[in-house]
């Protein structure tokens, strides 16, 4: 697996540890959830204490300067809380449709194996002027992470960056992130 370029010794060290854990522990599942998809399951990475710590620390270095961390439903929640604790800021759950009481902001999108809608509350919290760092576990086509970033930006947030643990390069998601700096701890 290739690691992204490290821009500080601190990030380099976190990336190396996270890269080792992700390479060793990711479970690759053929034909899930649909035929032809090779699904990257990071469950064993998160269930490993040092592995989980390394990805949280790597993401937190990338998110320095944020005053709110947004985690994308569902596995992004596992990361968002840890990174927010590390940065000393709050956390926001970007939910799949139908989970939040109205009023909500919504954004629909396509992903590698379907389509979905993400939602956040309108004005609770008020996102105007908030410096938000958006996190998910995997970047495939990029549809999910881009929808989350656009949703937050539309609600008035300044999206200072987006990040994932694992980027699947052949699906080309990175090319969609010209407006938001993208960090991936590991690229395959
Ligand atoms: O880059 P994309 O093609 O958009 O795919 C990436 C998304 O797909 C997976 O989530 P999924 O929608 O399966 O949801 P889950 O976390 O609720 O299982 C993954 O956790 C990302 O959110
Ligand atoms: N191949 C994949 N592995 C894990 N999550 C995904 N989301 C979209 N495609 C995925």
């Amino acid at each position: 697996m290739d690691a992204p370029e490290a821009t500080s010794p601190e990030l380099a060290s976190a990336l190396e540890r996270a890269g080792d854990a992700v390479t060793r522990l990711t479970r690759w599942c053929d034909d899930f959830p649909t035929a032809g998809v090779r699904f990257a399951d990071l469950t064993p990475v998160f269930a490993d204490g040092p592995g989980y710590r390394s990805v949280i620390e790597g993401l937190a270095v990338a998110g320095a300067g944020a005053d709110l961390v947004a985690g994308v439903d569902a596995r992004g929640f596992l990361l968002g809380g840890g990174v927010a604790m590390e940065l000393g800021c709050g956390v926001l759950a970007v939910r799949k449709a139908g989970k939040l009481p109205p009023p909500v902001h919504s954004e629909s999108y396509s992903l590698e194996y379907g389509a979905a809608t993400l939602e956040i509350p309108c004005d609770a919290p008020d996102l105007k002027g908030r410096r938000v760092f958006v996190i998910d576990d995997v970047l495939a086509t990029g549809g999910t992470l881009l929808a989350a970033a656009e949703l937050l930006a539309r609600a008035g947030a300044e999206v200072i960056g987006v990040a994932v643990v694992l980027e699947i390069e052949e699906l080309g998601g990175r090319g969609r992130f010209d407006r938001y700096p993208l960090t991936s701890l590991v690229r395959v």
Side-chain angles (χ1 to χ4, degrees):
M1 294 190 181
D2 297 327
E5 188 184 347
T7 51
S8 72
E10 194 187 356
L11 181 56
S13 160
L15 287 174
E16 188 178 337
R17 283 180 285 112
D20 288 348
V22 172
T23 302
R24 190 166 49 87
L25 296 171
T26 298
R27 189 169 69 108
W28 290 95
C29 309
D30 288 328
D31 299 316
F32 181 86
T34 58
V37 174
R38 185 161 183 254
F39 187 86
D41 181 12
L42 299 188
T43 302
V45 180
F46 299 164
D48 179 77
Y52 182 62
R53 173 172 287 281
S54 71
V55 297
I56 295 299
E57 288 176 349
L59 293 169
V61 172
D67 64 32
L68 182 65
V69 173
V72 180
D73 201 340
R75 286 165 291 238
F77 297 166
L78 296 172
L79 298 164
V83 173
M85 288 289 287
E86 195 77 10
L87 293 176
C89 65
V91 64
L92 176 71
V94 179
R95 304 297 312 265
K96 294 272 172 65
K99 302 292 186 183
L100 290 168
V104 294
H105 293 294
S106 302
E107 184 88 20
S108 295
Y109 61 96
S110 301
L111 69 157
E112 190 186 6
Y113 37 71
T117 300
L118 291 175
E119 295 182 343
I120 54 173
C122 288
D123 301 322
D126 181 0
L127 293 175
K128 290 182 193 66
R130 298 292 296 268
R131 292 170 55 79
V132 181
F133 181 54
V134 191
I135 297 180
D136 203 357
D137 63 335
V138 171
L139 185 82
T141 64
T144 306
L145 194 61
L146 185 62
E150 301 278 29
L151 182 58
L152 291 156
R154 203 150 47 79
E158 180 189 352
V159 177
I160 65 161
V162 299
V164 295
V165 175
L166 180 68
E167 172 182 350
I168 303 174
E169 286 186 296
E170 68 182 4
L171 294 172
R174 177 166 289 271
R176 304 172 73 174
F177 288 86
D178 49 337
R179 289 198 302 286
Y180 307 105
L182 168 65
T183 299
S184 51
L185 299 186
V186 177
R187 299 187 202 175
V188 293

